[in-house]
Amino acid sequence: MPRSNAAAVSDQVANKRKRRQPKDASLPNGSGGSSAAAKASDGGKKLQRANKTGEAVPPLSRSSSSGSLVASDMPWPEHFTRLGQTHKALNLVFTFCCTRKHLATTFPNIKAAVEAHIKRDLLIEDVAQIKALMPSSVNFAYVDGEMLQVHVLGDANNAGARRRKEDVFAEPGGESATEGREELLFEFVDGDLKRQVQHIKTGEPTNPTKRLRDENLKMPVFSQKHMANLINRRNSKFILAVNAYLNRCATEGVDPVEAIQRESEYFVPTITDPEGGNSSLRQFPSLPSQIPEERKLISEIIEDIKGMDWYTGQIVHDGHRVFDPQPPIYGGLNFQLSQSMVNALYNTRGITQFYSHQAEAINNLHEGHHVIVSTSTSSGKSLIYQVPVLHELEKDRNTRAMYIFPTKALAQDQKRSLKEMLRFMDGLGDIIVETFDGDTPMVDRNLIRDEGRVIFTNPDMLHITILPQEESWRTFLKNLKFVVVDELHVYNGLFGSHVAFIMRRLRRICAAVGNRRVKFISCSATVANPENHMKTIFGIDKVRLTDFDGSPSGRKEFLCWNTPYKDPQDPSSGRGNTIEESARLFVQLILCGVRTIAFCRVRKQCELLIGAVRTELASLERSEAMARIMAYRGGYTPQDRRKIEREMFEGKLIGIVATNALELGVDIGSLDAVITMGFPYTIANLRQQSGRAGRRNKDSLSVLIGDGFPTDQYYMDNPDEIFTKPNCALQVDLENMLVLEGHIQCAAYEMPIRPAEDIVYFGENLPEIAEERMVCDSLGFYHCNERFRPYPSKFVPIRDTEDGHFAVVDISNGRNAVIEEVEPSRAYFTIYEGGIFLHQGLTYLVKECSPERKLAKVELVKVDWTTQQRDFTDIDPIETEAIRRIPGSQSRAFFGPIKIRATVFGFFKLDKKGHVLDAVEVDNLPIEILSKGMWLDVPKSALDILKSRSLNIAGAIHAAEHAILSLMPNFVISMPGDVRTECKVAIKEFAKRETSRKRPARLTFYDAKGGAGGSGISTKAFEFIDLLLKQACERVEACHCHEGCVECICSERCKEANVVMSKAGSGVILKSLLGLPIDVDALPWGADETVPAGIETVVEAEEVRPKPGRRVEVVVIEREGGETSK
């Protein structure tokens, strides 16, 4: 982030009238003047609109509904009364259609029903006039007919997917009815019917208790009351709209009938002309006809966007900050560079002098120190390790250097940069500088190993290939002088622990071959503890920190942009579509010549956003710009990723939509703007992404677009925290026994262990581990245990990677090309026959999926819907490997292997608004994953208390699990998501009839990473289980909330949205596990309103036995202060 304080910019802009279009309002009860309530707009402070004389309009009175009253003394002309009747009929018919089968509300489909209500012909011009009165509430335009299809070719005959006949109806006209033509579509877009489900007992519509992904495969239902409320609300808005329009016409002295007929001409839709485009589509005079080579200033572009008709105050109050430009601060070197080095710096980068932080770090390296540089993104950190390596190569051509990057993309990027400099270095143009990673051809690897002077690799290759084959790499390791580890902040948590031991193994081998002069260089984003973190990762003491940034930075503007309500005048309409809002802003920026990157949190969002960008460009008649926009994320083939990186770097692409795969410092050329769609989990991630803009000293823009989630809205309400929160400290756990032993076994395979000598690398536990878990020879050397052979590194996965990726093959028109590679754990939930697979924003129908062959065949289709899988997951321990008794209690905690069994049994088809179009069953085999974890069986006494008070047992277990999980970082260095639990599903727990799927009364926690052996985090937590229980109990008791909150039992990461929760019940379980007294009379009695008891789905847990023939000792924990639990 920039170093200067940001100046707040006032964004208190009153809504301007565009093309004489009034704001949305509402409709009449008759021809006389009338009034109705409307909500205030969203975003910024609410300013009063000025009248023509410039005087502020007096504030209007408030009604009991907290809305603004807009009244008109003018009697309604007959023309507007007739429009009101038409609006009421359209409203009624459209709402009715939304509650039935997927019937597209095209003009021909609704025309007859509307005419039956109004007793006259329904004219397109009448609907256009309603659109003119309520432009943001109505969509009335021609769309591609193919996009309205639900049952695409091949789906109905798909053996692996079958439609539920009782839920889904055939579309009128058959599949070919819309093929090849445009349809005139009418929609209200100012609010939706809330999804409801059928009550199991009464059969009446009732509110759902769980997310859609957990629903039964039934189409949603809607109550008459809910429908009537929505219809009445829209009618009221129309009254407001007409009253506001008549008042305006009276003020301006114009005939309202003539005016509305004239203004509505703009809204009369026309069919797209293949030659000349569609004149009825939105056009913005401020947009250039072609993407300009030289753009305007960012401040001017922001003002242009504020003047567009879709801007309704999305920039929140105090959410526009400006960071002033910073001039460069230069420094000098303490030694002389060669002329060829000077030439290379000037010819490749135009560099004639170094920034102060570059000079300081290079001088420290020249003096023989290890160096860590922690400065802002794009501050020229790569030069700090390139110059010393080239300077040393000039003196000694046998010098070796190893550049280690967390991703292949970064390695490719830095290789390109270094090779460019070598072209201008006399005598060094022929040296081998190459990448050595999983994509390197086997035939090239020996040459790179033997002759390469600089290799670009990653921790995985160092762990799996280089260190285990140290004999083959001895020449390289003897001459190794520099080890560069870039993006050091990535090596945090569990991954950081693995990399820390890999670095120690590297230092150990280098020392064994006589090389103790290796200098370590690291670069990091701005974090709280860069120096200590580097010492921890490498196991070294003398480190020089450089953290004063001397690089220049251009003027930067930061916007907190909140997704507006569907109807900006009505907050009850709910937040709009964040993806569509992001696409609209993204398109406006790129069409103004602003090179933009948009970051998404997950892969599917990335695909949905690029698809929305495609739609937005088409609506603006600028589809040709799509050729200069690409998506970039994990899963794409290496060839596709390299192509996208190259085209972005060369300036061929004007926009890119990415996940955090591009959050790191890959040089993809000059970027002018960053859009972050949804808060990216941490402030550090947001700052890293924001820093990608303005990499070439020009003015730049960063936008955080708020989603509807509580975390997003918190920062929209409190934007100051984005700029004032301190950077987080990085943590690495070197005492994780599973990780430690794994790397000691790897080190013993590379070179036998001598505990007395190697304790400096692996810590004080090395002698004990060697004695108990390794093989000692007659000379006192310790060797790798047989259970880790033949290749120990294969048994120690350093990150959550998977083998056996699914190949997604595009078979459209006989193409037969692999377009993506998907991890097995992801494939089972994203690839199923009949489902929609997204790639580069395009929709592909999954025609065939073969888990045995790891192959999925997809075909390009043109549809406007996606699919959402339905699945359930059971998490159960298999056998007991360790037992710990809880102090002062009869309860025990258990540890052992855990089986996670997931089953995908169907999917919903959803339109872009999330409406259910279809429900489809699939026959998929369960997916089973093994891990390690711990569990606690709930005592029978606790179950009896919960039953006696009619408290929901599943909710109590779920709440207790969350309470314990949230406190694990107090005892174990871990990241969110490293340990998971079984979250309870509302549809099952609140059922009113018996189910055969009973779950044991058990609190279960398992490692999300590390495969069958786990990651070691739950093992460490198991050692502190008594303290975890005690702290969790104290936190639940101390929290002042009634039903549970994020401070005690709720989790922002709960995949079941914290629906099944019982705070009172969690206290009963935690106290019973600790052996504490429980005041039963103080407990609430009966089911909570939000957590009904339902049919009991939890049964008393049976103890999980150890493996036959294996004896497990019960460990009693001993704590300081007299507490014992052995």
Side-chain angles (χ1 to χ4, degrees), residues 269-283:
T270 57
I271 296 177
T272 302
D273 180 359
E275 300 292 331
N278 185 352
S279 60
S280 75
L281 294 171
R282 290 180 295 134
Q283 298 174 16

Side-chain angles (χ1 to χ4, degrees), residues 404-408 457-461 463-464 490-491 494-496 498-499 502 664 743 796-802 1008-1011 1015:
I404 300 171
F405 299 95
T407 66
K408 296 175 184 177
T457 189
N458 51 54
D460 311 78
M461 288 299 287
H463 167 62
I464 293 173
V490 173
Y491 305 111
L494 182 63
F495 185 38
H498 282 291
V499 172
I502 291 171
L664 303 177
H743 286 282
V796 185
I798 68 171
R799 46 178 146 190
D800 198 21
T801 56
E802 301 177 55
K1009 302 175 182 178
S1015 64

Side-chain angles (χ1 to χ4, degrees), residues 91-101 105 188-197 205-208 212 220-234 237 566 572-574 911 913-916:
N91 187 8
L92 182 64
V93 172
F94 176 80
T95 305
F96 178 79
C97 289
C98 289
T99 65
R100 293 299 183 264
K101 61 184 178 181
T105 52
F188 283 101
V189 293
D190 58 347
D192 294 319
L193 286 168
K194 304 299 183 185
R195 175 176 61 87
Q196 295 181 300
V197 295
T206 185
N207 290 332
L212 180 64
V221 294
F222 306 94
S223 68
Q224 290 185 354
K225 179 181 177 182
H226 188 29
M227 293 166 59
N229 288 340
L230 182 60
I231 291 171
N232 291 335
R233 189 162 66 244
R234 287 192 181 125
K237 289 179 184 177
K566 293 171 184 175
S572 67
S573 63
D911 68 10
K913 295 180 183 177
H915 295 157
V916 177

Side-chain angles (χ1 to χ4, degrees), residues 110-143:
I110 64 174
K111 188 172 186 291
V114 173
E115 289 174 345
H117 282 274
I118 63 177
K119 310 301 183 186
R120 62 178 182 274
D121 290 342
L122 176 64
L123 303 178
I124 289 178
E125 291 75 10
D126 291 344
V127 183
Q129 290 177 37
I130 293 172
K131 167 76 172 172
L133 287 166
M134 308 172 67
S136 63
S137 295
V138 171
N139 176 37
F140 188 48
Y142 280 97
V143 298

Side-chain angles (χ1 to χ4, degrees), residues 365-404:
L365 281 166
H366 188 70
E367 293 168 6
H369 301 287
H370 305 296
V371 167
I372 172 68
V373 182
S374 180
T375 54
S376 62
T377 308
S378 70
S379 57
K381 293 190 284 286
S382 61
L383 209 63
I384 292 169
Y385 49 76
Q386 288 178 345
V387 169
V389 170
L390 293 176
H391 182 68
E392 197 65 31
L393 279 168
E394 285 183 311
K395 296 191 297 183
D396 179 9
R397 282 180 60 93
N398 287 323
T399 294
R400 304 297 202 275
M402 182 184 295
Y403 288 18
I404 300 171

